[in-house]
Amino acid sequence: MKLSLIILLCFSLAIPGVATAKDIDQDDAQMLRQQGVILSLEKILQAAQNLHPGRVIEVELEKKHNLYIYEVEIADNNGQVWEIKFNASDATVLSQQRDD
């Protein structure tokens, strides 16, 4: 019983430290854009196309660690799928990786 309580306590203390991302809905995104907090989707998509010309598959906007992030999934002209994360305020590339 004592061991179970210790394990449960350790697990519950670890949960707040887990980084979570909050998805931003369309209405909130529009408000953030109008306030100048984030760039327009068009600017982000142009930045993605400049890196990997091709077809956009999916775009998400999320907030993680007080930073708004556009996540763009794109299939390039060679058929490779890329996931690119941009800082939504200035289009800085935070990461890009090819999906296998």
Side-chain angles (χ1 to χ4, degrees), residues 8-24:
L8 180 61
L9 181 60
C10 289
F11 182 71
S12 66
L13 290 174
I15 291 174
V18 175
T20 58
K22 177 187 173 211
D23 288 337
I24 307 299

Side-chain angles (χ1 to χ4, degrees), residues 32-61:
L32 291 166
R33 172 63 190 111
Q34 289 171 347
Q35 293 172 346
V37 175
I38 64 172
L39 295 174
S40 68
L41 179 57
E42 292 79 18
K43 289 184 181 181
I44 296 298
L45 293 179
Q46 184 59 54
Q49 290 287 334
N50 289 341
L51 288 171
H52 301 286
R55 181 177 56 89
V56 174
I57 299 170
E58 183 179 4
V59 178
E60 293 179 11
L61 176 62

Side-chain angles (χ1 to χ4, degrees), residues 64-80:
K64 189 173 186 178
H65 301 295
N66 293 321
L67 180 67
Y68 290 100
I69 299 169
Y70 275 111
E71 186 176 301
V72 179
E73 194 169 304
I74 193 166
D76 71 15
N77 293 330
N78 297 319
Q80 298 293 316

